[in-house]
Amino acid sequence: MVAPAVAVAVAAGGLRYAPEDGGWIEYAAMGCWTGLILLVAAAGEEILVRGYPLRVLAERWGRWPALAATSASFSALHGANPGVGGVALLNILLAGVLLGIVCLKTGDLWWATGMHAGWNLATGFLADLPVSGIRLVDAPLVEVSGGGAALWTGGDFGLEGGLAATLALALAVTVVARTGIVPSRWPEVPVESNRENG
């Protein structure tokens, strides 16, 4: 998802990449360390928003209302981040929908956690951009400059604050919603029926 978003940000928004000093060992070490930190952070957010809350709300209200409520909460959690704007909040809402659909389709929080951590790693380290308004690292070997249109690139908020990410996330939501990744392990029957059956 990040690659097409970066491609659009480069083509339409004027984001530019150039080589930077550094070595491959330093790059690999920083990538591993960044990936570990981002995995822990993504797991925490997924547990908080889509772990227990999504499952309970899906069983009580149905999947779509639960998805809407948890996605709105996910967006609101990022509302105080530096440089946040309307497009950024919309994109984080879309990301919440995507991650929620992945949880509902797989019945497994780890798929969403991996996708969440992967997005952040690809954005914050590989693309060397801020993640949700926070500059995580300055990756060696890659230098990025965004003197173009912040509406497309996301400006200081990073890729998630621009229309390039909106297009990529909307496409990802459509693809994931229409495909059967794996059958859900969550039962379709109400909670009361589960209790009666054992």
Side-chain angles (χ1 to χ4, degrees), residues 120-142:
N120 289 349
L121 181 64
T123 303
F125 181 71
L126 297 177
D128 200 27
L129 296 168
V131 177
S132 301
I134 301 166
R135 166 81 51 196
L136 299 173
V137 294
D138 183 13
L141 304 179
V142 178

Side-chain angles (χ1 to χ4, degrees), residues 36 46 67 94 125 139 147 162 191 197:
L36 180 62
E46 291 306 311
L67 190 60
L94 283 172
F125 181 71
V191 176
N197 293 333

Side-chain angles (χ1 to χ4, degrees), residues 89-172:
L89 292 174
L90 170 65
N91 286 341
I92 294 170
L93 179 83
L94 283 172
V97 170
L98 176 64
L99 295 168
I101 290 172
V102 168
C103 275
L104 291 171
K105 281 185 168 271
T106 63
D108 191 345
L109 193 61
W110 286 108
W111 281 101
T113 299
M115 190 175 243
H116 188 158
W119 171 275
N120 289 349
L121 181 64
T123 303
F125 181 71
L126 297 177
D128 200 27
L129 296 168
V131 177
S132 301
I134 301 166
R135 166 81 51 196
L136 299 173
V137 294
D138 183 13
L141 304 179
V142 178
E143 181 62 34
V144 64
S145 60
L151 181 63
W152 286 98
T153 66
D156 292 338
F157 193 78
L159 195 60
E160 296 161 314
L163 293 178
T166 308
L167 295 173
L169 288 165
L171 178 63

Side-chain angles (χ1 to χ4, degrees), residues 2 26-27 32 40-41 43 45 51-52 56 65 73 81 95 107 113 115-117 141 151 163 176 193 198:
V2 174
E26 179 189 5
Y27 184 82
C32 289
V40 171
E45 285 188 0
Y52 182 74
V56 168
S73 299
N81 286 24
T113 299
M115 190 175 243
H116 188 158
L141 304 179
L151 181 63
L163 293 178
V176 171
S193 298

